[in-house]
Structure formats: C-alpha cells, structure tokens
Amino acid sequence: MPTIWTDVDPGAYLDAVTPAVRRRDADTLRDLMERVTGEPPRMFGASIVGFGEYHYEYASGRSGDAPAIAFAPRKAATTIYLPDGVGAHEERLAALGPHTTGVGCLYLKDLERVDLAVLEQILRTSWAAVTSGTFGQRARES
C-alpha cells in the first residue's frame, strides 16, 4: 500500500515558515498535536504537517487515506484540518477566540489570541472521532 506521506522533513519545513508569527504558531501546534496524538509530525504533500492517519470511504465509493489531524501554516492564517468537520465542535469554537472556519478547516491568525486549552479539547475530540475506526464521512456531513 502506498504511503500518503512525503520525505520532506517537517522540522526543516517549519523552520523556514514565514512570517514569524506563523512559525511561532507552527511550533506550538506541532507540540500540541504531537501531545494529543502521540504521533510524530510527518509531511502530507508539500505544506501540510500531519499526525496519524485514517482511511475514509464515502457512499459514492471514493476512498483513500489522509492525516487524522493536520495543520498548514499559510501566510494569511494557519489552517487546522478537522476531518470530522467544524460542526462537530460548535460549542467549543464559540469559546475558542478569534477564528474563521470552512467545512473542515479552522483558520487562526494568532494562537496567542485563542484559548489553547479549548483548542486542545477540539483536537482531542476530533482525533478520537477520526481514529475510532468507524469514521468515514465527509466533513460537510458532520
């Protein structure tokens, strides 16, 4: 079975992230996600830092493998990927602090302005849902 991971070194990738606030936030997220998952960071594609993996299979028959939890430090904001969808975390997101969302993405501009304990709860809940062995739906269905 082919791997979903690239050979890019996540440490080297994160060391080169700009601007400085994204690099700082990336270091914080790497440590937080590693603690939540017990998994080392690995690169999924050229710019997504992932932890663990899960297999999905949709009703359409489409299936594949993806990181169980991941983030990408982008110039405008850091993207946190929540495969179980942001809808599964509505109550906690209300207490998180400044953020925006997409269907399965949480966008944060500055981790110093959010409640990291709430973020950790969101990540733990998402990790548990996605790695339970029973998750297979799309984020928009959550």
Side-chain angles (χ1 to χ4, degrees):
M1 177 162 98
T3 182
I4 64 169
W5 307 107
T6 68
D7 291 331
V8 175
D9 174 33
Y13 169 73
L14 293 175
D15 286 345
V17 166
T18 58
V21 68
R22 294 290 168 269
R23 186 171 45 256
R24 180 203 68 206
D25 288 356
D27 289 340
T28 300
L29 283 172
R30 174 185 50 206
D31 294 345
L32 178 60
M33 289 185 178
E34 203 165 0
R35 185 172 67 246
V36 164
T37 67
E39 297 282 338
R42 295 184 286 176
M43 295 300 295
F44 179 72
S47 63
I48 297 175
V49 181
F51 299 80
E53 62 186 83
Y54 78 104
H55 181 76
Y56 61 85
E57 190 166 333
Y58 301 143
S60 67
R62 182 173 177 224
S63 67
D65 298 293
I69 205 164
F71 74 93
R74 309 280 189 224
K75 285 204 186 287
T78 297
T79 303
I80 297 176
Y81 298 95
L82 301 171
D84 59 333
V86 296
H89 308 282
E90 257 183 88
E91 287 182 30
R92 287 191 177 119
L93 286 170
L96 179 63
H99 70 278
T100 56
T101 61
V103 173
C105 297
L106 173 61
Y107 304 103
L108 301 172
K109 292 188 178 193
D110 187 346
L111 284 183
E112 289 187 351
R113 297 187 61 212
V114 301
D115 187 327
L116 288 179
V118 171
L119 180 58
E120 183 170 346
Q121 291 173 338
I122 292 168
L123 296 174
R124 284 189 185 283
T125 302
S126 182
W127 171 260
V130 173
T131 60
S132 68
T134 60
F135 186 82
Q137 61 195 7
R138 295 175 183 257
R140 75 173 119 282
E141 296 166 350
S142 296

